[in-house]
Structures are given as C-alpha cells and as structure tokens.
Amino acid sequence: MSETAADPNQCLALVADSDDTVRERIKSMLMQIGYRVREAADGLKALEAFSDACPQLVLLDASLPKMDGYAVCENLRRHPQGARVPILLMIDPDDPQSLKKGYEAGATNFEIKPIQLEILGYRVRYRAHANATRETARIVEVAEIQRSAHLGSWRWELQHNRVEWSSLGRQIFGLPEHTIETTHEGFLIHVHPGDRAHVCETHIEALKSKQAFAVEYRIIRPDGVQRVIREQAEVILNPVSGRAMVLRATIQDVTELRQAQERIRYLAFYDSLTGLLNRQAFQQELQRSLYFADRHDGMIGVLFVDLDNFKRINDTLGHAMGDALLKVVADRLQRNVRKFDFLARSQNDAQEDRGRVARLGGDEFVLMLTDMESIEVAATVAERLLNLLNQPVQVGEYEVAVTPSIGISIYPHDGQDVDHLLRNADMAMYQAKETGKNTYRFYNESMNARALQRLDLEHKLRQALENDELSLYYQPQVDLSTGALVGVEALLRWHNPSLGWVAPEDFIPLAEETGLIVPIGNWVLQLACRQKKIWETQYSKPLRLAVNLGGLQLRQSDLASFIERLLEETGLRASDLELELTEQSLMANAEDNLDILSRLSGMGVSLSVDDFGTGYSSLRYLKRFRLNKLKIDQSFIKKVPYSADNAAITSTIITLAHTLGLKVIAEGVETDAQQSFLRSHGCDEAQGYLYGQPMTTDDFTAFLLRHEENRPDAAEPQDARTPKAASASITRSGRTP
Ligand code: C2E
Ligand code: MG
Ligand code: MG
C-alpha cells in the first residue's frame, strides 16, 4: 500500500483497514495533524508495512481480512520495534469479547466503530505526546545504566550494513565524537588483527544460528592503545520472514579486569623470586605433557636439580645474596633448556616450548624435557647443566661457585604419573649427592650404565684430536657421461686404541651434540685442503674436493673467514672446494643459514645438499640457499632400478634439480645397473663402491696415479674398483678397514 509523500521527519502512522473509505478519512485527519501515513488493506500487509517502515503509531481494524487485528497486534508486540509502539484497535461494539481480546493482544487503546474522527484526532495527539515523553525517559534510563556499568553498545543493521554506536560504545573504541555509524568492516578494522577473523566468524555464526553469544577480543584504538573488550550480543529477527535483521551488542572494556586476573594467575603459577613456574604449575604442565606423551608414545625426562652447599652460601653471605644467586641459576637453567630445544628441535616445531623449568622451593629446581628422541638427550642436558652451573657466579662483589646434583627420571620407564616421576627423580638426585655431588644420576641403573658409556665415548672423542686418532679417507666421484674422475669426498675416520674403529654414525652425532664437531670439522677442512693441494701436483685434471660440514659448524660466526684464510694459505681456488650440508642442518636454522651460505657462495665455494630426499626438501629454501648441487641419498639408489618407487623418486629428484639449475650426484652406486639407470636419466655424477671405496691418503694417491696413466681416455668406471681401493674401505663399528 502507498505511503503519503511528506517531510521524512514527520511521524509515520500505519492505518490498516479493509474499507478504502474509512482508511481515506482517517488518513486525511492524520495528515492534518502532521502525520505521514502508510496504509494496509489486510493483516499480512499491515505486518509487512510495519517491518518495512517502523511507524510510530498504528491504527488497526480488529476485523482485518487474512489476519485479524488481534493477531496483528500480538505479532507487532513481538517485533523488536513493536514493543512500545502505540496501537489503537478499532473494535466492533457488538462483540462483547473485543475489549478483553484487544488488551490480551497488547493494544494500547480502543476506538469504537464507527470512528469519530475528531475524538480519534485528540486521542492520537495525546498518545503521541505521552509516548515521546516515555521513550525519552527510557533512553535516558538505559544510557544511565550503561554508563554506570561502563557498558557501551552498537547495533548492526544488516540490510544496509550500518553499525550505529552509542556514545559510550564510541568512547570505548576511541572513535571520534562525530562518528554516528560505520559499516561492519569499519567496526572490524578496530579489532586487533590477531582476533579479527575470530570476531568476524563469531558474528557470522550468530547470524546463522540466530543465537545470542559472548566474545572477548582486543581492539586497537585510533591512538594506538590496545584494550580488551567483552561483547555480549543478540540477534534480532524479522518477525515476518524470521531472518536475522539486527545484531545488537553490549560492549565493556575489561582490560583492567583481565590484567588483574593475569596478575593473580601469575602469582598462583609462578615463583615470585625467579619468575620460573612454581611447583603446582609444573605439576600441571607435567600432567598435560604425560597425557600427550601417552597418546604419541613420547618420552619425557624429569631432571631434579639441587644446589650443593647452597645453605652455606646463604649463611655466610646472607639471604639477599642467596636470592641473587638463585636468580642467576634460574636464568642459566632456562637458557639451557632453550639451548636443548634449539638443538633437538626440527624447524617445524621451533616455535613450540618443549622444555619447562620450575623452582620447587629453596634451592631445588626441576626441568621437564618433552619429546625426547632418546634417553641420551637427558644425559646431554644434564651434562650441559653441570658445565653451565660450574661457572662461577658474580653476586654483588663476590664471585661464588655453586655446583648442582641432578637426578633424572624418565617417563614411561621410571613412573607413570607426576608423583612417581618427581619422587624418583628426587631419589636419583640423592644418589648423585652420595656419589660425590656435582654430577647426575638416572633413577634407572641400566640408564646410568648407558650414560656412563656415552660419557666415556665423549671423553675419548675429546682426546682423539690431540692423540692423533682421527684420519681422513677419500672416495672418488665421477662424471657419469664421460666416466672421468672429477671429485673426491673426504670422509672422517676415528681409530681409538681401546675401542678400535668407531663408525662415523656413532661419533659424528655425539660430536655435534657436544660441540666437538667445530674443532674436528675445522681440522678436517684444513687437512683435506692441504692434501688436495698436494694432489694438484700429481693429477693434472681438475679435481674438486668435497668436505662434509656439520650443522653446528654453520653457526660459527667466523666460518667464512676461516675458509677464506684456508684457501689463501693452501692456494686452492674457491671453486675447487665443495661443502656438503645435510638437509637437516640446512633447515634447522634456515633463516640464519641464508646469510652464511650466501657469503660462502659469494666467495665461489660450491654448496651441495647431502643425503637429499631424507629431510624436508623445502623447495622455497632450496631456491634461496644458492646451492649448486643435490646429492641423492644412497637409500634411494639402493634398489634402483628394481624398485619402482626408488626409481621414480630418483628420476624426480634429477628432474627437480635440473629445473632449479642444480647439478645432481648419486651416492652409494654399487652396480652397473644403477649406473645405467642414472646415466639414462641424465644424472650428472656418481659416487660409490663401483668407482672406489673410501681409501687412505696413500691409496687414493695411487688411485690418482693410475687414473693419470690411463688418460687421455677416461677410465672405465669399473677400473676404479681396484682390490687396493677396496681394501681401504671401512665397515661399521669396531672393525678395521
Ligand atoms: P655421507 O657424507 O653421506 O657419506 C657417504 C657415506 O656413504 C660414507 O659413509 C661412505 O663410506 C658411504 N658409501 C659410499 N659409497 C658407498 C656405497 O657404494 N655403498 C655403501 N653402502 N656405502 C657407501 P661413512 O664414511 O661411514 O660416513 C657416514 C656419514 O658420516 C657421512 O655420510 C657424513 O654424513 C658423516 N661424515 C663423514 N665424515 C664427516 C666429516 O668430516 N664431517 C662431518 N660433519 N660429517 C662427516
Ligand atoms: Mg657427504
Ligand atoms: Mg650422503
């Protein structure tokens, strides 16, 4: 039905009557007293018109077609805008029930038909005035309640995407005073980027489910200040269509409340002296970790640390000094756990916090190591702790020495629950004290034996360099298309008088964990480069030297200058040197490695990825690392060409490398069939027993000389497999070559 065109600021009245003449008469009366009028000829149209225009006054005929006036009245009262609108019901004097029904339906007042326009006019004017006064009072009252509770509000009207703000809502969000409305996007822009998606999803979910909700989020005010907001909201539906129409939210700034709660939580879970977790929090953390470990067959280490003779320090230097010392110890423990994380973690979970430290009270600390790959990790951490805490501490003007006794229990071996693990670690700690303090003990005896064995190996490895027990073997690398000898890889060997030959797999990881790989690795580089210089005089063809580099070596800040000096000293060209890095060590510290590797590559040193295919193979990084070569891991070469999987992986790696502009070398090539496969798939180079096993310096010299004699025709690969070369090989653990 039509609406009279008039000043939009005028009040709007809805007149619903099926009789055109009646409607027309009422309409003209209303217009005379300043109303705009909207008309409806039946009940349904009346509802529709109300939802559409939200009039300030409704005149309803009780006997409307399609839906009678009582039902319309009831519906309007349920409408979000209809609760307080004055509804005048026009009733039939002959119906004795009409007044009762009208009141029950929520009518404000009644007009008896036939309508007397003059009286109706007065009634309407009086109603409008009274209503306006009441509405103003209500708004003032709500605003007052909200202000005293520091509650603001906003209201999102969906059809026009308008968010209207209350003045307190505006203040909470720090919006300029003249802001009356924004869009929903304009609202979201103030929400902290970290919470924005969540808030948006919550709103959408509420509109879909039509359910009220509460959500908490951070906002960033235009002045940059961050606040925490609690929002409670409800969805208002269109009474006719049932669709969501408005989202009405009450908001409260709960920043101070949350800060206070955070402070309470801090006091409840942290040790106030050191800032470490307290006993209760540690127990909870451990409980949670046990739960996860149980599901993933994980291993957890609990290290109980007690300072030796702390009481004496406290007694002689006073409590203030004692406290200062405990803080330093706490700091060292925490850093040590992080260092363990750093070494033991893979790139993927580097952000997670895997180790936890707590102070149980006095001079007692406890550490938790989650996701341990082996029991040895706990031993490594304990050893580091001993080294770290043995360093003197400066407290005030004093330099004091503290030593710890450490007890270790391992989940699941030494206990299934928090109490048992802590108690057994504590018992192991007492054992450490009895053994003479400043040491660590496992709760379990067989673990102690293993730890001792490892400690013994570490001790021997430390002396291996000094005692001249280390040596280098050399293994040839050939060009697959010509069969020519093009390179040599230096491989480290260790022969210990009591242990015999120790396999690289057994001592290189230990060297990495203990940091010994740095001096050993530097020694390897020096020796190999010097040897290569000697061979240059004996072998006229270019021969590249490949040296393996441990992950820790990359983190040496002066590695590039060390290599630069070495090249200068030996007179080798940078392009003669190739550094082999495993995928693991490249990726473990990817961002930092970019720097050092680009320096090395800038110098002209060639970089290759060893054991390629066993690690993460992140193409993104491969591209950024400025590598020259991929070395396909021998596990893939092993069953080539008979295993379809390995053949597919190998040929894919070759294609991938070539696409990235890298060369490819295959390692572990032992048979002609492997060689033919690699050659036919365009692999550039190969290394393996087929061409020669790793050999001593003398054997490799002889090998070179034979090659030199066989020139200019490139030697047949099989020729390289001389009995002598084969005799210079080394097999795993304990056996001499
Ligand atoms: P890698 O660098 O991948 O070295 C190749 C390994 O494969 C060598 O084992 C070599 O003897 C073996 N190999 C070569 N051809 C064949 C073959 O045809 N068949 C079989 N079955 N094996 C073959 P090795 O010498 O025991 O070295 C093991 C690992 O120890 C090396 O793997 C490397 O990762 C590490 N390594 C050796 N020397 C050093 C070093 O000086 N520094 C560092 N950081 N790591 C080293
Ligand atoms: Mg290698
Ligand atoms: Mg390899």
Side-chain angles (χ1 to χ4, degrees):
M1 278 273 147
S2 63
E3 185 182 318
T4 49
D7 177 358
N9 292 326
Q10 285 179 307
C11 283
L12 180 71
L14 170 66
V15 179
D17 199 305
S18 57
D19 186 326
D20 294 351
T21 329
V22 173
R23 269 200 331 268
E24 197 47 49
R25 286 176 58 223
I26 298 177
K27 180 175 143 189
S28 62
M29 178 280 290
L30 286 171
M31 285 173 71
Q32 270 177 25
I33 59 172
Y35 274 84
R36 287 181 298 135
V37 176
R38 177 112 182 208
E39 299 170 55
D42 63 49
L44 291 180
K45 290 219 173 79
L47 277 184
E48 211 176 277
F50 186 90
S51 288
D52 194 38
C54 287
Q56 286 81 26
L57 172 71
V58 180
L59 285 113
L60 279 178
D61 179 15
S63 48
L64 279 172
K66 298 201 177 157
M67 180 188 274
D68 69 22
Y70 307 105
V72 173
C73 190
E74 248 176 62
N75 270 298
L76 290 185
R77 287 303 182 220
R78 282 201 295 269
H79 191 284
Q81 256 73 44
R84 274 175 297 275
V85 71
I87 302 175
L88 296 184
L89 203 61
M90 299 179 277
I91 53 173
D92 206 328
D94 300 334
D95 180 0
Q97 292 296 314
S98 58
L99 270 179
K100 183 171 179 285
K101 283 198 292 185
Y103 273 124
E104 279 171 3
T108 317
N109 219 329
F110 304 88
E111 288 301 323
I112 312 287
K113 292 201 269 194
I115 301 299
Q116 293 190 307
L117 281 178
E118 204 175 335
I119 295 176
L120 178 64
Y122 279 117
R123 225 194 279 287
V124 165
R125 261 183 286 204
Y126 163 73
R127 228 337 107 199
H129 174 73
N131 216 56
T133 315
R134 245 203 332 265
E135 186 61 13
T136 314
R138 195 187 68 85
I139 290 170
V140 169
E141 187 187 7
V142 169
E144 199 43 53
I145 292 170
Q146 290 195 342
R147 205 184 322 278
S148 60
H150 298 286
L151 293 172
S153 62
W154 54 258
R155 185 177 177 285
W156 177 22
E157 189 252 305
L158 296 169
Q159 194 186 358
H160 301 104
N161 187 16
R162 277 197 312 237
V163 176
E164 292 161 14
W165 295 82
S166 77
S167 72
L168 219 90
R170 218 166 33 225
Q171 276 172 35
I172 290 173
F173 267 64
L175 303 181
E177 266 196 31
H178 57 262
T179 315
I180 295 170
E181 60 178 50
T182 59
T183 57
H184 190 246
E185 294 74 33
F187 154 81
L188 283 174
I189 241 164
H190 300 286
V191 176
H192 190 286
D195 298 342
R196 204 173 285 156
H198 175 61
V199 172
C200 193
E201 273 165 26
T202 309
H203 286 174
I204 289 168
E205 198 40 53
L207 295 180
K208 277 200 259 171
S209 67
K210 298 166 184 166
Q211 299 284 323
F213 65 92
V215 63
E216 211 167 289
Y217 51 86
R218 292 161 297 170
I219 58 165
I220 299 175
R221 287 188 187 162
D223 58 6
V225 174
Q226 184 175 309
R227 306 293 293 177
V228 183
I229 303 296
R230 181 175 164 75
E231 170 182 312
Q232 264 179 303
E234 59 180 336
V235 181
I236 296 164
L237 307 179
N238 182 316
V240 180
S241 66
R243 281 207 296 270
M245 201 166 73
V246 167
L247 188 79
R248 189 161 56 192
T250 305
I251 51 174
Q252 191 178 14
D253 185 332
V254 292
T255 314
E256 277 76 25
L257 182 68
R258 292 293 171 263
Q259 281 168 350
Q261 283 171 337
E262 190 50 39
R263 180 84 199 126
I264 291 167
R265 205 183 70 86
Y266 185 85
L267 292 175
F269 288 108
Y270 292 89
D271 171 41
S272 55
L273 175 67
T274 60
L276 297 177
L277 296 178
N278 65 17
R279 180 188 292 268
Q280 191 198 354
F282 183 83
Q283 285 175 328
Q284 282 182 15
E285 285 283 330
L286 183 55
Q287 182 63 55
R288 206 177 6 237
S289 301
L290 290 181
Y291 176 75
F292 281 113
D294 186 38
R295 298 172 132 212
H296 302 106
D297 287 332
M299 197 166 16
I300 294 178
V302 176
L303 278 70
F304 204 106
V305 182
D306 188 282
L307 301 183
D308 303 326
N309 309 322
F310 177 72
K311 191 174 171 325
R312 212 189 58 224
I313 292 166
N314 232 356
D315 290 347
T316 47
L317 299 181
H319 283 270
M321 289 295 170
D323 282 357
L325 176 67
L326 290 174
K327 279 192 203 170
V328 175
V329 169
D331 187 52
R332 288 183 178 180
L333 291 177
Q334 194 134 45
R335 266 190 291 143
N336 185 54
V337 172
R338 288 212 194 100
K339 202 163 157 202
F340 147 74
D341 284 351
F342 184 56
L343 285 174
R345 282 175 188 185
S346 61
Q347 165 80 10
N348 292 351
D349 57 6
Q351 302 311 318
E352 264 171 56
D353 205 358
R354 297 207 309 178
R356 294 282 157 134
V357 190
R359 177 169 167 243
L360 298 183
D363 61 344
E364 280 180 352
F365 297 85
V366 66
L367 271 78
M368 167 184 15
L369 306 175
T370 52
D371 287 346
M372 293 199 309
E373 285 80 14
S374 67
I375 288 161
E376 276 71 27
V377 172
T380 309
V381 173
E383 269 163 42
R384 275 215 209 100
L385 276 180
L386 290 174
N387 284 336
L388 212 70
L389 293 183
N390 272 299
Q391 287 158 26
V393 181
Q394 189 73 38
V395 274
E397 56 202 275
Y398 303 96
E399 191 173 79
V400 285
V402 269
T403 60
S405 292
I406 305 170
I408 307 172
S409 65
I410 304 284
Y411 172 85
H413 312 276
D414 303 333
Q416 298 291 317
D417 55 53
V418 172
D419 282 351
H420 277 91
L421 287 166
L422 275 173
R423 199 180 322 141
N424 291 345
D426 193 8
M427 275 173 67
M429 187 274 293
Y430 275 101
Q431 294 250 309
K433 290 243 189 238
E434 276 167 23
T435 327
K437 301 182 178 167
N438 197 19
T439 184
Y440 69 93
R441 301 295 291 170
F442 279 93
Y443 174 72
N444 182 303
E445 265 321 306
S446 67
M447 289 180 197
N448 275 329
R450 264 170 73 180
L452 276 177
Q453 202 182 0
R454 191 175 164 284
L455 207 59
D456 180 55
L457 193 67
E458 182 188 329
H459 179 70
K460 291 193 164 86
L461 186 59
R462 274 185 198 284
Q463 294 177 336
L465 253 182
E466 281 168 38
N467 296 350
D468 220 10
E469 293 167 12
L470 299 176
S471 60
L472 287 184
Y473 273 48
Y474 297 93
Q475 190 178 29
Q477 299 177 329
V478 301
D479 182 311
L480 268 175
S481 58
T482 63
L485 175 69
V486 286
V488 54
E489 178 176 8
L491 293 159
L492 185 59
R493 297 291 176 259
W494 177 22
H495 186 270
N496 175 270
S498 56
L499 300 171
W501 290 96
V502 186
E505 285 88 342
D506 292 336
F507 73 85
I508 286 178
L510 183 67
E512 274 276 346
E513 280 166 28
T514 51
L516 282 169
I517 196 69
V518 173
I520 293 178
N522 289 348
W523 174 83
V524 169
L525 271 166
Q526 267 170 341
L527 186 66
C529 285
R530 284 176 192 153
Q531 184 57 50
K532 152 84 175 116
K533 190 66 195 171
I534 295 171
W535 284 329
E536 267 188 13
T537 56
Q538 293 164 342
Y539 187 67
S540 52
K541 276 277 202 180
L543 187 70
R544 205 188 38 241
L545 169 71
V547 179
N548 294 285
L549 213 64
L552 211 59
Q553 283 181 271
L554 275 179
R555 274 175 238 154
Q556 259 178 291
S557 53
D558 56 350
L559 178 70
S561 27
F562 176 81
I563 290 178
E564 207 162 19
R565 277 199 310 275
L566 187 60
L567 292 174
E568 239 175 65
E569 177 205 316
T570 52
L572 287 187
R573 288 171 299 271
S575 58
D576 285 339
L577 181 63
E578 181 168 276
L579 298 174
E580 292 191 5
L581 302 136
T582 61
E583 274 181 290
Q584 278 85 348
S585 56
L586 274 176
M587 300 303 300
N589 217 7
E591 283 302 319
D592 294 343
N593 288 344
L594 281 172
D595 225 32
I596 171 84
L597 292 181
S598 76
R599 253 194 90 183
L600 288 169
S601 139
M603 282 160 53
V605 173
S606 166
L607 301 171
S608 112
V609 189
D610 206 349
D611 306 340
F612 186 77
T614 56
Y616 309 105
S617 314
S618 163
L619 287 176
R620 192 161 65 90
Y621 275 104
L622 282 186
K623 272 188 166 162
R624 291 176 66 193
F625 277 140
R626 301 176 66 178
L627 303 164
N628 304 81
K629 197 188 269 184
L630 297 188
K631 199 167 185 185
I632 310 176
D633 189 63
Q634 33 181 304
S635 58
F636 300 116
I637 306 299
K638 213 172 234 163
K639 289 184 193 148
V640 154
Y642 307 107
S643 148
D645 280 358
N646 281 358
I649 293 170
T650 303
S651 61
T652 311
I653 294 178
I654 296 171
T655 315
L656 165 82
H658 288 161
T659 324
L660 293 171
L662 306 175
K663 289 207 153 212
V664 205
I665 180 167
E667 67 180 336
V669 179
E670 295 181 358
T671 66
D672 290 330
Q674 289 169 331
Q675 176 179 253
S676 306
F677 177 87
L678 292 163
R679 203 180 261 157
S680 68
H681 282 84
C683 184
D684 303 287
E685 294 175 6
Q687 175 183 347
Y689 296 169
L690 186 60
Y691 316 101
Q693 298 204 2
M695 357 176 169
T696 60
T697 312
D698 288 348
D699 286 338
F700 194 79
T701 308
F703 178 86
L704 270 186
L705 290 177
R706 272 196 307 281
H707 254 261
E708 184 73 9
E709 282 158 17
N710 288 350
R711 289 184 60 240
D713 336 282
E716 272 303 300
Q718 280 84 345
D719 291 353
R721 216 169 25 152
T722 60
K724 191 148 193 215
S727 76
S729 68
I730 177 169
T731 44
R732 238 186 99 81
S733 214
R735 276 174 285 145
T736 51

